Amino acid sequence: MIKRFLILFIMMLSITMTAGAISLQELQSSPNFKLVSYKEYPSETSSYVERFYSFIDLNSIRIVEYNPPKYTLQCTNYMVFDYTAGPEIKESEMTIYYDLNYSLATLIHANREKQPNASLVDVIETAERESGLVIKSKPLNTYQLNGDIWYPENRSNHLDREWKGSIDRSRGYQVIYDNADALFKAVYLQHFDDILIQ
Amino acid sequence: MKRMYLLLLWLLPFIMLPIYSQAISQSELRGSSRYVQFKSVADYKVYYVDMESITPITATEGHRRITVTVYALVDGEDYIAAVKMEYDYQLDRSLRQLLSKHDVLKSQGQDSPYISVWRDKQANIGITCRILGVKGYTLSGNSIAELYKIDNVYKDISELSFKGNRYKMLNAIYKQAYGIYFDDEMSSKLL
C-alpha cells in the first residue's frame, strides 16, 4: 500500500515539476503561442544557423487597464535564443502601457489638421521622442530548448532582471515593439500605431 | 632691393587672403548665425552647417542634389574638419510621399500599417551623400596639412540614418536650398 502511494506521489511530483516547463517544439506547434519575431544568423565559419524567436502566449493575455486613450495589457513572452553560445528560452511576464495620444495615426492626423504650417519634420521629432509605449518585463523562468529548466547558476544576463522602460520605434527596439504591437492587435484587432485619437 | 620689397608687400594680400578666407576657428563657428549647429544629446560630435555654402546643383530626374560645407568637431579632439559634401535626395522617398502611397494602398483595401511606412523609411531614407573634399583646422583656425589627424573627426559623416539631429540636419539643408523640408516634398507626378 505504502509502495503504491509512494509511486503515485513520485508521479504527481514529476508532473508538477514539468507542468510549467516549455520547449521550443511546444512553442512552435501549439496554436496559443503566436510567433511575433524570427531571425536567422548564418555562421561564417560553420553550416550552423543561429536562430532567434519571440512568442507571446495568447492564453495568458490579461487586460490590466482600459482607460482610453491609455491601455495596459499583460502576457507571457518567450524569447528563444537558439545560439551556439548557449541555447535557451527566456520566459517573462510582459506588461505594456499604451498611450494612443502618440500613435503614428494620431500624430500624422494632428499634423494634417494643422495645415498649412504643418511639417512632417515635427511628426518625425515627436514620434522619435515619444512612442507612447512603455514595457515592464519581469523574468519568470529560463529553459533549455528541450524544455528542461535552466538553473540560475548556469547563466544569467540582463534579461534575468525586472526592468521597465520606454520602447522607441528605432530598429534596436524592433523585437520589443513588435511584441507590444502583437499583444495590442491580439486584443483590439488593430495595430497600435493605426489607432487614431481625435 | 626696395623694389623687390614693395613687390612682395603688394603680393602679400593676394597670398594671404585666400588662406585666411578658408580658415575657420571654433569661436567663429559658435559665434555666427551663418553656421547652424546640430548635436544630439548623447552625441560627442558637433556638426556646423555653413548655411551660405548650400548650393543646389543639377541632378537626375526625381532627385535633387546639393553641395554644402559641413564642419565637424569631436569632444577631446583638437581639430576641425571642414568637409565639402554632396547630398542626393530621392524625392519619392520623402515621408509625405511614402505616407501618400500608404494611403492609396489602404484605400485599395491592402493591410498596410503605419509602422510599415516607418520601417520602410528607416531601411531607406532616400538620401545619399559623398565627400567632395576635406580640409583640416586647429580649434584656433589655423590650417593643417596633415589630414590624417582629422580622420576621427569626420569618419562617420557619410553614415546617414532616420534618426536624431543628424537627420534633422539633412532636412534643414534641403529647406535652405528649396524652401521646403525634404520630408514635406510631394509631387503628384511621383504617385
Side-chain angles (χ1 to χ4, degrees), chain A residues 94-111:
Chain A
M94 181 177 88
T95 310
I96 307 288
Y97 305 85
Y98 303 86
D99 183 349
L100 287 164
N101 286 311
Y102 295 98
S103 74
L104 285 176
T106 304
L107 295 179
I108 291 164
H109 178 78
N111 184 262

Side-chain angles (χ1 to χ4, degrees), chain B residues 87-105:
Chain B
Y87 290 104
D88 182 280
Y89 296 77
Q90 190 183 333
L91 294 175
D92 65 359
R93 299 294 306 170
S94 80
L95 187 58
R96 190 169 298 281
Q97 197 73 36
L98 296 177
L99 287 171
S100 181
K101 282 180 191 164
H102 161 270
D103 290 347
V104 170
L105 289 176

Side-chain angles (χ1 to χ4, degrees), chain A residues 29-90:
Chain A
S29 58
S30 176
N32 61 300
F33 297 112
K34 180 176 171 51
L35 176 65
V36 180
S37 304
Y38 173 69
K39 288 188 171 84
E40 287 186 351
Y41 304 100
S43 167
E44 286 176 6
T45 52
S46 73
S47 60
Y48 190 78
V49 179
E50 297 195 323
R51 293 178 170 88
F52 169 81
Y53 310 74
S54 178
F55 296 88
I56 58 170
D57 179 358
L58 299 174
N59 289 348
S60 70
I61 294 175
R62 199 164 71 84
I63 298 173
V64 179
E65 185 192 16
Y66 178 79
N67 184 22
K70 296 190 177 178
Y71 302 76
T72 306
L73 299 173
Q74 195 174 71
C75 74
T76 306
N77 171 230
Y78 295 91
M79 290 201 186
V80 182
F81 303 88
D82 186 1
Y83 297 168
T84 43
E88 60 186 1
I89 299 171
K90 291 276 184 195

